[in-house]
Amino acid sequence: MVMRWEAFLDHVKERGGYESTEEAARAARTVLAMLGAHVVGEVRAELAARLPEELALILVNPLQAREPLSPERFVRATAAWIEGATEQTAAWDVSAVLSVAADAAGDELTRRILLQLPAGYDLLFGHPQRV
């Protein structure tokens, strides 16, 4: 089931503590563009199918990545794309957006997404993996 644009942004706004929907939308666009560069194939397509259309298009037409980024580097790279962001605020942005994306994806798809990413992304998605 596709999450509606308003619902997705409302959840991001709440989890990120943003004052405006515009701030939540900016974070969502940036983080999902970054994520799209790191997940591929059927997994990326399935996630896109569960996101609002505007965000799905961003996910499937991502920024280009030369190599998979560690969670720390992913946060730093996100900070570089958000005007005025610090690594701390970018970590907040990333976690707010990815946790809502995980809700939209469901547990099984989130697990498959995490298999494509370097270790440590589970915390950014709000789905700590048990050892």
Side-chain angles (χ1 to χ4, degrees):
M1 179 174 180
V2 176
M3 187 179 279
R4 288 184 11 258
W5 172 255
E6 296 82 13
F8 192 95
L9 292 184
D10 285 347
H11 290 304
V12 171
K13 184 178 173 184
E14 179 183 318
R15 290 184 191 171
Y18 301 109
E19 292 184 16
S20 71
T21 302
E22 291 75 25
E23 286 179 285
R26 171 202 43 97
R29 287 182 185 104
T30 303
V31 172
L32 290 172
M34 296 289 296
L35 180 65
H38 292 84
V39 293
V40 297
E42 187 178 306
V43 169
R44 182 169 61 192
E46 285 183 44
L47 178 57
R50 298 180 189 188
L51 296 176
E53 182 178 4
E54 180 178 337
L55 296 176
L57 291 172
I58 290 168
L59 184 75
V60 298
N61 295 296
L63 299 169
Q64 297 302 309
R66 293 179 191 219
E67 61 185 23
L69 298 177
S70 68
E72 297 80 16
R73 289 182 59 207
F74 185 91
V75 168
R76 277 193 298 258
T78 301
W81 281 95
I82 299 174
E83 185 177 333
T86 66
E87 284 186 36
Q88 287 179 319
T89 62
W92 194 262
D93 292 335
V94 168
S95 291
V97 173
L98 293 184
S99 68
V100 175
D103 290 348
D107 290 339
E108 192 276 328
L109 179 54
T110 298
R111 182 189 61 75
R112 293 186 325 174
I113 292 167
L114 291 171
L115 288 173
Q116 288 192 2
L117 298 168
Y121 275 83
D122 56 327
L123 298 175
L124 295 177
F125 276 84
H127 283 254
Q129 301 295 304
R130 292 174 181 75
V131 178

